[in-house]
Amino acid sequence: MKKNLQHSENIEDILARIQLKYGFCTIDEELYRELSELSVYLNVDLYSWFLNFLDQEKINAPASRILLSHFQHSDHTPILMLVQLLHLLDQEIQEDAIGLKIGSYLLAKYGGVLGNLCLSSENLGEVFARFQRYYQLMFEGFRMQVYINDTHILISWDLIKKMSDVFAGRRIGRVFVDLCVASLFTIVSGLFNHQYSIYSQVSLMGQEPIDPLFYQQFFRCPVSFNADFPAVTIPLTMVSLLINVGSEKLKLLVTMRLEAEMNMHPVLMIDRFLHELQKILLYALHDNRPNINYVAEKLALSRANLQRKLQERSLSFSELLDKTRLKLAKMYLEHNNLPMTEIAWLLAFSDQTAFSRSFKRWTGLTPIEYRKLLVK
């Protein structure tokens, strides 16, 4: 589990040093102000993704690598910082369609639990259903709209619509939009080893680029420009396209993990600290390390500071851990194909007996009794 970017070294100081040493400028003040006001985050392994691009393309880009290194311990990157990084890369590399090229290096594994769910889906229709529901766990603050008619699926992004005025006339807007559309294309087509042309039409904001043919070759379909908002069209016949079927149990566990994260999402929780804490608790349980020292370390806090923050909210660590375990336990118990021993393991208990004892303390029922009530 990585830390939130806000706990790392001051990014503004890093950008100032890069500007002084290499002469590259940051985004303009108006765009900076607009992006600063957006509660939008990228919840992917940005460091591995962009480093993969630079290394595979054998691009030196020392200034960009300096900034990128400060994303190494973060899986929660504000959109402002993503745009700053893209702006720096665009200046340093100076290649057309740089957003497409970076997007082509996004692997499902960099998308965390959502990426794993895509890998375990049965067909393309299931992938898009999962993406529509859980997309904001990868791109927090974004929503992906999916519209279906008799022949096609149309996908668009609501935030980019809202940002169209902000990005108007700015090259970085094209880079950002290209990255978003190319990333989805890369993840989805990668599920089929890039054997199929997934899109039938792509519409992009901004003027036609110098080499529009490159865009058509990349997406393997017609591409239009000067659109009001980016959108992609997929033939409805593609939804039944089979993926190598993953483990049903993996699919179940990943889905439940996503549901747990959705239930703790900041859209539903005003307190950002508690959201981060509960998110880390999920990872701590997964890593079989549900103790206060481990969680404090991941929050970049001392044990005493973590306890103080909890006390300010009239909470204790053990109370929050119990609530998280109980919520997950009830979710797991709804699925009869998950044995008690595995549920105990998923909740980081030493054995089934310890799990049963705790569950009875929480609810007055044993897990077996609770599961029987669900069947009635």
Side-chain angles (χ1 to χ4, degrees):
M1 173 64 187
K2 299 179 180 180
K3 299 174 186 176
N4 191 315
L5 188 63
Q6 67 184 7
H7 301 305
S8 62
E9 185 181 349
N10 188 296
I11 295 294
E12 301 307 321
D13 291 342
I14 298 165
L15 287 168
R17 291 203 305 272
I18 289 173
Q19 186 172 6
L20 183 64
K21 182 174 182 179
Y22 296 98
F24 298 120
C25 63
T26 58
I27 60 175
D28 62 80
E29 290 185 8
E30 181 185 0
L31 182 57
Y32 182 96
R33 185 173 59 254
E34 293 280 356
L35 294 177
S36 297
E37 294 173 357
L38 294 174
S39 297
V40 180
Y41 298 84
L42 185 68
N43 295 327
V44 300
D45 186 355
L46 188 73
Y47 173 77
S48 297
W49 172 13
F50 278 52
L51 187 65
N52 184 32
F53 159 69
L54 291 172
D55 288 348
Q56 292 296 322
E57 293 289 329
K58 296 181 172 56
I59 297 172
N60 187 19
S64 298
R65 286 178 181 269
I66 290 172
L67 181 57
L68 182 61
S69 67
H70 291 270
F71 292 81
Q72 186 171 1
H73 301 294
S74 171
D75 63 355
H76 191 67
T77 306
I79 189 173
L80 171 62
M81 293 300 102
L82 170 62
V83 173
Q84 290 277 31
L85 178 59
L86 287 173
H87 185 62
L88 181 58
L89 279 164
D90 187 40
Q91 293 175 84
E92 194 164 20
I93 298 173
Q94 295 186 0
E95 287 188 17
D96 197 28
I98 186 66
L100 296 190
K101 294 172 184 176
I102 298 172
S104 70
Y105 282 91
L106 177 60
L107 303 178
K109 65 180 181 180
Y110 300 151
V113 70
L114 180 56
N116 288 331
L117 188 61
C118 289
L119 291 172
S120 65
S121 296
E122 184 173 350
N123 56 49
L124 190 57
E126 188 174 329
V127 169
F128 283 119
R130 298 294 189 271
F131 253 95
Q132 184 177 21
R133 175 162 177 75
Y134 302 117
Y135 190 74
Q136 60 182 315
L137 292 180
M138 183 182 288
F139 295 95
E140 185 178 314
F142 280 69
R143 280 197 309 275
M144 188 175 76
Q145 277 79 39
V146 179
Y147 306 96
I148 302 175
N149 60 27
D150 293 339
T151 58
H152 288 86
I153 301 173
L154 177 70
I155 297 175
S156 65
W157 290 262
D158 69 330
L159 180 76
I160 300 178
K161 292 181 189 178
K162 298 173 186 175
M163 294 171 62
S164 58
D165 290 340
V166 178
F167 280 145
R170 291 182 170 95
R171 175 174 164 78
I172 189 59
R174 160 56 55 78
V175 176
F176 177 78
V177 170
D178 286 358
L179 178 76
C180 292
V181 180
S183 298
L184 176 65
F185 175 80
T186 300
I187 285 184
V188 173
S189 61
L191 297 173
F192 307 97
N193 296 319
H194 307 283
Q195 294 177 352
Y196 302 99
S197 178
I198 303 298
Y199 295 167
S200 60
Q201 174 70 42
V202 173
S203 301
L204 296 174
M205 297 159 50
Q207 295 181 349
E208 185 173 296
I210 297 172
D211 185 9
L213 182 60
F214 180 83
Y215 282 74
Q216 294 183 30
Q217 291 172 339
F218 181 90
F219 291 115
R220 289 177 275 173
C221 72
V223 179
S224 62
F225 301 92
N226 293 306
D228 293 333
F229 56 87
V232 299
T233 304
I234 300 166
L236 197 58
T237 53
M238 298 291 288
V239 298
S240 59
L241 201 60
L242 292 177
I243 300 169
N244 291 329
V245 180
S247 161
E248 286 298 319
K249 185 167 288 186
L250 171 63
K251 188 187 304 183
L252 172 63
L253 295 178
V254 173
T255 300
M256 288 190 289
R257 169 81 173 276
L258 283 166
E259 288 292 344
E261 288 199 33
M262 284 288 287
N263 291 337
M264 298 170 183
H265 201 265
V267 170
L268 305 175
M269 292 186 60
I270 298 173
D271 193 320
R272 166 63 65 179
F273 167 73
L274 284 182
H275 164 65
E276 288 298 320
L277 175 55
Q278 290 196 308
K279 185 178 177 182
I280 288 173
L281 272 177
L282 290 175
Y283 283 93
L285 290 169
H286 177 73
D287 291 341
N288 197 30
R289 299 179 67 181
N291 60 76
I292 191 169
N293 291 332
Y294 176 83
V295 172
E297 178 188 349
K298 295 305 176 185
L299 284 168
L301 295 171
S302 67
R303 175 177 176 144
N305 281 338
L306 174 55
Q307 289 175 321
R308 178 181 56 78
K309 284 180 173 288
L310 287 170
Q311 288 170 358
E312 289 171 354
R313 294 162 173 81
S314 301
L315 289 170
S316 68
F317 180 80
S318 59
E319 178 186 357
L320 197 58
L321 177 60
D322 281 351
K323 287 182 178 179
T324 303
R325 275 175 156 166
L326 176 58
K327 193 170 194 174
L328 291 173
K330 288 181 175 180
M331 192 182 301
Y332 294 149
L333 287 167
E334 292 176 2
H335 300 273
N336 290 324
N337 57 338
L338 274 182
M340 295 297 173
T341 51
E342 289 195 20
I343 294 176
W345 175 77
L346 288 167
L347 297 174
F349 284 103
S350 57
D351 53 38
Q352 182 180 338
T353 302
F355 165 53
S356 296
R357 188 166 52 245
S358 292
F359 193 86
K360 187 165 186 177
R361 174 168 57 84
W362 299 329
T363 66
L365 299 170
T366 67
I368 293 175
E369 290 169 341
Y370 180 83
R371 179 172 268 176
K372 286 180 179 178
L373 286 177
L374 294 176
V375 176
K376 292 181 180 179

